[in-house]
Amino acid sequence: MSRSVRTPAVDDLCDAILSLQNRDECYRFFEDVCTVNELTSLSQRFAVAKMLTEKKTYLEIAQETGASTATISRVNRALLYGSDGYSMVLDRLDRK
């Protein structure tokens, strides 16, 4: 994460997310914090990341998620050159 994003306000948001104890609490929090479009976009990007790690093609991903090729490329760049956030979470979910 770039230094410009690491602010006290983002720290507070991260702490709030870390305080959530189950899926219902996540839904309740994110429904209040995000618009439907924002939450849909976040979940779409996560689905794209999962499918990219499963070696699905851009066409398969676009058809299944409705994501644009620009979004798929952006997520792919994050997987290849980002902070490993997607990989960390996907690895943890695979271990469950």
Side-chain angles (χ1 to χ4, degrees):
M1 190 177 289
S2 69
R3 291 180 194 205
S4 63
V5 176
R6 291 182 182 257
T7 65
V10 176
D11 287 347
D12 288 345
L13 178 62
C14 289
D15 291 343
I17 293 167
L18 289 168
S19 77
L20 300 171
Q21 297 180 6
N22 56 50
R23 186 175 291 154
D24 181 61
E25 288 185 4
C26 286
Y27 271 103
R28 290 171 50 201
F29 179 74
F30 284 109
E31 285 174 359
D32 285 349
V33 171
C34 298
T35 66
V36 171
N37 287 341
E38 289 167 337
L39 192 51
T40 301
S41 292
L42 288 171
S43 63
Q44 182 186 65
R45 287 183 208 139
F46 189 72
V48 167
K50 185 175 180 183
M51 294 176 78
L52 284 167
T53 62
E54 294 168 350
K55 306 298 184 201
K56 302 259 176 122
T57 67
Y58 275 35
L59 181 59
E60 291 171 312
I61 295 168
Q63 288 175 337
E64 189 169 326
T65 66
S68 68
T69 55
T71 296
I72 299 168
S73 291
R74 190 176 312 117
V75 172
N76 194 45
R77 265 194 315 278
L79 285 168
L80 295 173
Y81 308 111
S83 300
D84 291 326
Y86 282 122
S87 298
M88 175 184 58
V89 171
L90 290 168
D91 287 346
R92 288 179 184 170
L93 291 174
D94 280 346
R95 286 187 243 150
K96 281 188 168 184

